[in-house]
Amino acid sequence: MHIRGYIYAIISAIFFGSAGIFVKNGYSNNFTPVDLLMLQYIIAGVILFFICLFKYKKDLSLNSTTIKKLLIQGAIGNTLMTVFFYSSFKYLEVSVATMLLYTYPAMVALFSFLFFGEKITRRKATAIIGTFLGCVLVLNIFSFEFNFELKGILFGILSAVFYSFMNIYAQNLVDEVPPIVVTFYTTIFSLLVLIIFNFNFIEKLPYVTLNSLSNAALLAFFCEIIPLTLLYGAIKYIGPVITSIISTLEIPSAAIFSYFIMGEKFTLNQISGIVIIVFCVILLKKDDKN
């Protein structure tokens, strides 16, 4: 059973790491990354609905308190995290955008200290400083090779901020709600919010290209439904701490995908930065376990 859990976690991380490839290939001048995200949510929402209807029908009926919590998680946390994350791909390389998102464990530790009074251990402090150093190396801020748009960096950091919020607020969600049902509700709430603020997306639907549709479908299957299912399966067999540590494979996976598929190049400094960030994330996760 443990072997199955490790396999699930590894495959899940690899699939999640491929998201940037589909986003990069799926948007265009007339179809933004947010439009692509909404199309992905429509496809995923329909599939998740039928899964929940046939397997978790009784769990779809929730009380008003739980619905409100899921609304906050979906409409605020999930929506803003994914919007900023997908938008960052428009300005940054796939590996850099993914790396910025994965600074969220350091942000969780920092926010928990600032707002909830949680103690920052020496290990956490080292990991937070190390994460910042890793970002500096990956972005090549102090070298002549720095050529990333500040807007993309801001979007990447904001995606990590709201991912941190999702992780902290998730503690308020009831444990008895099946994860697949939580995913369904947060997906639907995110879609509804995006429709309100990006209503012209409806007008674009009749003109969606096959390229955008296929990439949105690939995102729905390979970067949402399948990896989430595998992630929950991994948590079942090996627990959340080990699963979260293995999930850091998403960073090198994104780097490998971007190198071989997108032709993105890396300097020694950037590779060192990615390694430092992966190490710091693992350090934080082990601290949480202790």
Side-chain angles (χ1 to χ4, degrees), residues 108-157:
V108 169
L110 186 60
F111 292 158
S112 296
F113 167 73
L114 293 174
F115 299 108
F116 301 104
E118 289 189 14
K119 182 181 178 182
I120 290 187
T121 63
R122 184 178 299 175
R123 179 178 289 181
K124 282 185 177 180
T126 301
I128 292 171
I129 295 172
T131 299
F132 174 76
L133 174 62
C135 289
V136 171
L137 290 173
V138 171
L139 294 172
N140 277 331
I141 291 176
F142 299 114
S143 75
F144 293 107
E145 298 178 12
F146 177 74
N147 58 358
F148 299 114
E149 290 195 40
L150 293 178
K151 184 185 292 187
I153 297 173
L154 178 62
F155 285 164
I157 293 174

Side-chain angles (χ1 to χ4, degrees), residues 30-32 34-35 38 194-208:
N30 298 321
F31 203 73
T32 67
V34 176
D35 294 329
M38 294 174 70
L194 289 174
I195 289 176
I196 293 173
F197 290 97
N198 189 32
F199 190 76
N200 62 345
F201 166 77
I202 304 297
E203 300 174 357
K204 297 180 182 180
L205 280 176
Y207 308 101
V208 172

